[in-house]
Structure formats: C-alpha cells, structure tokens
Amino acid sequence: MAAADHATPTYDRMKEVKDFDESRIGVKGLAESGITSIPRMFIHPPETLSDIKKPNSRTCTQKSIPIIDLSHFNSPTKRHQLVEQIRDATSTWGFFQVINHGIPKPVLDETINAIKAFHDQPHEVKSKLYNRDNDKHGVMYSSNYDLYRAKAASWHDFLTVWMAPEATRAKEEDIPEVCRKEIVAWESHSTKVAEALLELLSEGLGVEAERFKDLGFLKGKLAVGHCYPYCPQPDLTVGITSHTDSGLTVLLQNQVGGLQVKHGDEWVDVEPIPGALIVNIGDLIQIISNDNYISVEHRVLAKASKEPRISVLTSFNVGTIADSDYFRPLPELLSPNKPALYHKFTVPEFHENFYSKGLDSKSFIQKVRL
C-alpha cells in the first residue's frame, strides 16, 4: 500500500480501497508489513481528528462511566437499588461497567486470548474467511464493515459470528477452530448477563421485568471480535469512528485502552477494569424507552502500542419479528404530559438504515423523531 501523498492530484481513493479489500490482509497485515506511514484512505479529516490531537477540558476528561455491582441481582432487599443505579447510568451516560456479573475470570481471559489467537493467524488462514457479502449470517472476517461507504477507513479488523436467530446462526463447525469453543461459551455467558440487564432495564421503566425480552431482544445475537493493531500514525486515523449501536451491547476488552464515550460535549476514556464488562444502550432501546434511556456516541482511538487492543462483544437485537410488526415507544410510558417522541417503524426499516450507512452517519433516532 502506498503511503499518503496529499500533493498527488490523481489520487484514486476507490482504487486504493478496492486494492486493500481484495488483498484480504486487513489492517493487521498492513501493520505487520513494516509500514511507517498509513495509506491515505485511512487518514481522517481535520474535523474528526481535532478533538483527538488537542487534549483539553473538552476532551478525554477525568470523568468515568458508572461501575455497577450486579451481585445484588437476586437480593429481595437490595435489587431496587440496583434498578435505580442501572436507570441512572442509562439515562445520563448510556454506558456503564458491570462487575460481579457471574462470568468466571478464566472464561473472560480465555475469550480474549482466543480472539487474539484468531487475528494472529497467518494471512493465508484468515483470508479464507474474508468477505463482506454474507448477507448477515454465518461467519465473516473483514476490515471496516462500512469500508466502501465511509469517508475514511478506520484502523481495525473484526471477526463476526451470527448466533441468532436460528436461520442465520453460524454452524459451530464453521466457527474458526482457534476460537470456536471460546466464542460459543462467550455467547452463552453474555446472554445470561444480557437477560439480567434487560430485566433491570424493564423494571427501571416501571414495566414488567420481562417486557424487553418479550419484545424479542434476545432473539437476534451476533458476536464480534475486534483487533486494533499497532498504528504508526495514530494521530491521523481512528480505531473506529464515532457511532451509536443498535440494541444492547455487552463488551469485554483487554487491558489496552482506547474506548471513549461522548458525555455531553466531552469525550471520556473508558479505563479497562480487570474482570469487568462494558454495557451500552443502542438506538432501538432509546426509542422504545421514549428517551428515558439514551444511546450515545462512542469511538476507539488508534494507538502506537505494540500490544493490540482486543475486544469481543455480543450485540442483542430484536429477531424473528414479522416484517409487518411495528415498534414504537412503549405505550405504558406515554401520557398526555409525556407523548411519544418517535413515530412507529418496522424492524426491516431499522436494519436497512443501520446497515446501509457509514458508522459515522446520522443515527436512526434522528430519522424517526417526531
């Protein structure tokens, strides 16, 4: 890949993107090739980079997202306090970390190590899975899911495994052997955590504990293992651009930082806590909660660290819903004094918007707000 040269008037970005995509080497392959400057397609515009290069009172403050202890989930006397903590975190931050969530530390370590092992495989092994044409099912390894739509590429690769609904679920034998057992275990454990969180989120709205689950939020699942390798010019690009998620996300990260959350007009670092999980609310939950819970922008910075940032998440969304079924703010939350803030929409409409835009494009929330 050629290094950036802004003086070249005949630069063909689409050709550079296509050459990179067809090489199937991913960003990690670029980093391992010994480059000292990043290809031009990865360089982000000044408006994206300005608050990364200038740490000040509006950037990377000393604030931190809430940390919530889930050990009282089954406590008849303390559960209400846990509900209040979840409600406060999701209404003000949209992000929080959970501890004492029930997943053993060795399982977490094995999961991170397995995702790293996948990305550490030789190019000729990983490239067999490289594609972006799988129509949202099975297993996919790639770099930048919005590579052809984004204004600038970002410095990460990913492995995606669709876990639900059954029609799109990856066959277990199709999951790479190097991380197969760990991904299956992670999906099972993270689903139990999500089930508990959905109950707490429902109770925080004053509705039945099963409300979010009854809407189908455990019926659509995908696991994603990200790798953010060494970057020779981290001040010119980002690991992942600022974006919001779709449903409920449960994420595990290694001890290499880089994740930042937008809080008001400030970017806040999410410091790694050994054994903790990061949870965030997506657009669909903000809409259904009628803005009682918020979906906020977040991003990952590129780093010059020789140790890569590794993360694995499970994204929980509604699944197996009829195309004609509509979603809208829960009627239990509405009154003459608290009218609906969003108009109704179908799940296909939501997915079409979410998967057809670049990560940094406007969210679905803005599209359906009344």
Side-chain angles (χ1 to χ4, degrees):
M1 302 295 293
D5 181 3
H6 289 286
T8 303
T10 58
Y11 171 67
D12 186 344
R13 181 180 185 278
M14 190 50 64
K15 182 180 185 304
E16 188 176 36
V17 168
K18 192 170 185 291
D19 288 348
F20 167 75
D21 195 33
E22 292 180 350
S23 75
R24 301 187 171 200
I25 65 172
V27 170
K28 192 169 188 292
L30 282 179
E32 292 174 345
S33 71
I35 60 171
T36 56
S37 59
I38 63 175
R40 182 170 174 176
M41 59 179 276
F42 290 95
I43 297 179
H44 282 250
E47 58 267 26
T48 300
L49 301 173
S50 59
D51 62 356
I52 294 176
K53 295 189 292 184
K54 298 177 181 178
N56 53 39
S57 60
R58 294 168 59 86
T59 307
C60 309
T61 71
Q62 295 305 306
K63 295 178 181 179
S64 60
I65 67 173
I67 300 171
I68 297 176
D69 186 341
L70 291 183
S71 61
H72 299 310
F73 178 77
N74 292 314
S75 170
T77 59
K78 296 184 177 180
R79 182 176 170 118
H80 71 282
Q81 297 176 356
L82 185 55
V83 170
E84 291 176 4
Q85 290 173 347
I86 295 284
R87 182 176 60 235
D88 290 346
T90 50
S91 63
T92 57
W93 283 88
F95 262 82
F96 53 94
Q97 297 203 60
V98 293
I99 58 174
N100 295 318
H101 41 67
I103 306 180
K105 181 69 161 51
V107 172
L108 301 179
D109 293 340
E110 290 167 5
T111 303
I112 287 292
N113 290 339
I115 296 300
K116 184 177 185 300
F118 169 81
H119 287 287
D120 282 345
Q121 292 180 113
H123 162 66
E124 56 269 21
V125 175
K126 291 186 295 184
S127 63
K128 296 176 182 178
L129 287 172
Y130 190 99
N131 75 87
R132 52 184 76 251
D133 301 316
N134 67 343
D135 195 28
K136 298 190 282 295
H137 71 274
V139 179
M140 179 177 76
Y141 160 64
S142 197
S143 181
N144 287 257
Y145 100 92
D146 60 347
L147 183 66
Y148 288 93
R149 301 187 300 275
K151 297 176 182 177
S154 299
W155 204 254
H156 73 276
D157 301 327
F158 64 90
L159 171 70
T160 296
V161 181
W162 272 266
M163 310 303 288
E166 195 62 36
T168 64
R169 182 180 177 90
K171 296 178 181 178
E172 191 165 321
E173 61 266 27
D174 290 339
I175 302 173
E177 186 176 2
V178 70
C179 56
R180 181 183 302 154
K181 174 174 67 73
E182 291 81 5
I183 285 179
V184 171
W186 163 254
E187 183 242 344
S188 175
H189 284 293
S190 61
T191 298
K192 292 177 182 177
V193 173
E195 187 171 4
L197 291 170
L198 289 170
E199 284 190 21
L200 296 170
L201 288 167
S202 295
E203 293 175 26
L205 293 174
V207 299
E208 294 293 326
E210 302 295 311
R211 195 66 167 95
F212 273 117
K213 286 189 284 186
D214 289 345
L215 289 172
F217 269 95
L218 293 176
K219 294 181 178 179
K221 292 185 285 188
L222 70 158
V224 185
H226 285 104
C227 175
Y228 305 83
Y230 161 78
C231 179
Q233 293 179 300
D235 58 331
L236 295 181
T237 191
V238 294
I240 283 186
T241 53
S242 174
H243 65 283
T244 58
D245 287 353
S246 56
L248 178 73
T249 300
V250 178
L251 180 141
L252 170 66
Q253 62 179 349
N254 67 354
Q255 296 304 294
V256 178
L259 175 61
Q260 293 185 332
V261 171
K262 193 74 172 290
H263 185 58
D265 61 355
E266 301 174 319
W267 284 103
V268 177
D269 289 318
V270 179
E271 297 294 342
I273 298 175
L277 301 176
I278 298 166
V279 179
N280 68 284
I281 300 303
D283 292 356
L284 196 53
I285 292 180
Q286 175 169 334
I287 294 169
I288 289 172
S289 74
N290 208 39
D291 279 5
N292 282 283
Y293 299 146
I294 60 172
S295 171
V296 301
E297 293 178 65
H298 49 287
R299 67 187 182 190
V300 175
L301 302 184
K303 286 181 169 286
S305 167
K306 294 299 182 182
E307 181 183 357
R309 171 182 167 82
I310 301 292
S311 67
V312 58
L313 63 85
T314 306
S315 175
F316 297 89
N317 274 294
V318 291
T320 62
I321 302 296
D323 288 357
S324 58
D325 286 350
Y326 284 97
F327 278 82
R328 67 191 83 194
L330 294 176
E332 303 97 307
L333 306 179
L334 307 181
S335 69
N337 295 326
K338 295 181 179 179
L341 301 176
Y342 303 94
H343 63 71
K344 64 182 181 179
F345 58 91
T346 64
V347 170
E349 288 173 341
F350 178 80
H351 285 161
E352 180 182 1
N353 177 85
F354 192 83
Y355 289 106
S356 64
K357 63 183 180 64
L359 275 178
D360 57 351
S361 300
K362 290 184 178 180
S363 72
F364 189 69
I365 285 174
Q366 294 164 292
K367 186 174 181 179
V368 298
R369 186 180 290 276
L370 292 169

